[in-house]
Amino acid sequence: MFKKLMYNKKIAPYVFILPFILVFIIFFISPMINTVIMSFQEVLPGQREFVGIKNYSKLLGDKVFLKAMYNSFKYMVWTLILLIPIPMIFACIINSKLMVGREFFKSVFFLPALTSVVVAGTVFRLAFGEQGTSLMNQFIGLFGMDPIKWLKIGSTGFITLLVLACWRWTGVNMLYFLSGLKNIPEELYESADIDGATVWQKFRYITIPQLKPTTIYVLTISVYAGLAMFTESYMLWAGNNSPKNIGLTIVGYLYRQGIEKNAMGYASAVGIVLFAFAMIINLIQLKLNGTFSKED
């Protein structure tokens, strides 16, 4: 019977994808449904009580939650500003025929992504410490500046997070763009050279348009990564309690409510809002860049 199913051209494909479907249902769909249900409940040890939209209405007046939303949104926007054009430019430079040591630079840029985020966060916390002997304070001291309490001030703490993000993810995004550059026909650049196009004109009218699919992909995953950032902040401030919540993110607030305070119902509402927020932003940007056309 099983052999008949395996050799049946109509049924066999479904048999092969069945493991994925089961994993998807068990580890994604089922938890998602349970989270939605819990967001309308007050979850206590051994019991659940339906409270309607109380958890969601509470979010609207929760200043700490709004602060976390603002921090995550700002972080997401700035990582998009930095981690799309900069890796794209680096990819174009490394892909250039004049580039020497191409494979070496690929490895150097990608190496930070292989480093544990726990280790990276700890190293950056020490480098941006408030002591005069910390690396960054020694650096600014060369210019006659006084030591800065980097992680206790909102602006400098945010800059530290961005530096960590750029150090860790520039190489990854650069490799995405390098793979996209490999798919651009060389004939386009040869035709542009014959027409006397400058380097900037070739980059603007050939490279950027041809990299659109790669850019959309990087943009999509970067939106999610920016909103879902947690471990970097947690390690940078050695916990989930940064001064005046300057490093608190939506996921960090979810962790605080669900794990630290055991308010699973309220934490579920935070998670659903985060999911909806990420989906809405991505759907908007996909619509604006033409991924969802009328013909589709």
Side-chain angles (χ1 to χ4, degrees), residues 129-282:
E130 60 184 74
Q131 297 84 4
T133 55
S134 67
L135 179 62
M136 290 306 299
N137 279 334
Q138 288 188 53
F139 176 74
I140 64 175
L142 298 176
F143 301 95
M145 300 176 63
D146 296 327
I148 297 175
K149 296 181 179 180
W150 296 92
L151 300 178
K152 291 188 176 180
I153 304 172
S155 57
T156 54
F158 181 70
I159 290 173
T160 306
L161 265 178
L162 289 179
V163 172
L164 175 55
C166 290
W167 175 82
R168 186 168 173 79
W169 297 114
T170 295
V172 176
N173 288 354
M174 184 190 73
L175 290 182
Y176 287 138
F177 285 115
L178 275 172
S179 65
L181 288 171
K182 298 297 182 182
N183 293 322
I184 300 177
E186 190 64 30
E187 293 79 6
L188 295 177
Y189 292 106
E190 293 174 355
S191 299
D193 289 332
I194 294 174
D195 292 337
T198 63
V199 174
W200 166 248
Q201 288 174 328
K202 288 187 288 186
F203 178 74
R204 180 180 178 184
Y205 295 108
I206 298 177
T207 304
I208 293 180
Q210 291 293 318
L211 281 178
K212 183 179 179 181
T214 305
T215 305
I216 293 173
Y217 173 75
V218 174
L219 178 61
T220 303
I221 62 174
S222 296
V223 167
Y224 169 76
L227 292 175
M229 187 273 291
F230 168 65
T231 311
E232 290 89 340
S233 175
Y234 189 91
M235 295 308 304
L236 202 57
W237 276 277
N240 201 31
N241 294 300
S242 55
K244 297 182 180 179
N245 294 313
I246 59 176
L248 183 65
T249 64
I250 306 178
V251 179
Y253 189 67
L254 188 156
Y255 178 86
R256 178 182 295 179
Q257 294 296 326
I259 305 300
E260 297 176 355
K261 295 185 178 181
N262 200 29
M264 293 301 297
Y266 191 56
S268 297
V270 175
I272 294 300
V273 171
L274 170 60
F275 175 77
F277 195 50
M279 285 293 293
I280 290 171
I281 292 177
N282 265 324

Side-chain angles (χ1 to χ4, degrees), residues 33-106:
I33 294 173
N34 191 41
T35 301
V36 172
I37 295 172
M38 288 173 60
S39 69
F40 294 99
Q41 298 174 331
E42 182 177 351
V43 182
L44 300 173
Q47 64 179 19
R48 296 186 181 187
E49 180 184 351
F50 181 76
V51 293
I53 62 171
K54 178 182 176 181
N55 290 327
Y56 291 98
S57 59
K58 182 180 177 182
L59 285 176
L60 297 176
D62 191 335
K63 293 183 179 180
V64 180
F65 168 74
L66 297 177
K67 174 74 172 178
M69 284 279 290
Y70 172 74
N71 289 341
S72 292
F73 183 76
K74 182 172 68 170
Y75 177 82
M76 179 203 71
V77 171
W78 275 101
T79 51
L80 294 180
I81 293 174
L82 296 174
L83 288 174
I84 291 181
I86 294 177
M88 183 188 294
I89 293 172
F90 283 164
C92 292
I93 293 174
I94 290 178
N95 194 58
S96 171
K97 294 179 179 178
L98 301 177
M99 186 67 189
V100 178
R102 183 180 291 110
E103 299 304 321
F104 170 76
F105 284 103
K106 284 182 184 179

Side-chain angles (χ1 to χ4, degrees), residues 5-58:
L5 292 176
M6 291 295 294
Y7 286 100
N8 188 302
K9 293 183 179 180
K10 293 183 178 180
I11 299 177
Y14 297 100
V15 175
F16 285 113
I17 66 172
L18 183 61
F20 167 77
I21 295 175
L22 291 176
V23 171
F24 184 72
I25 292 174
I26 295 172
F27 294 103
F28 183 82
I29 298 298
S30 178
M32 175 63 72
I33 294 173
N34 191 41
T35 301
V36 172
I37 295 172
M38 288 173 60
S39 69
F40 294 99
Q41 298 174 331
E42 182 177 351
V43 182
L44 300 173
Q47 64 179 19
R48 296 186 181 187
E49 180 184 351
F50 181 76
V51 293
I53 62 171
K54 178 182 176 181
N55 290 327
Y56 291 98
S57 59
K58 182 180 177 182

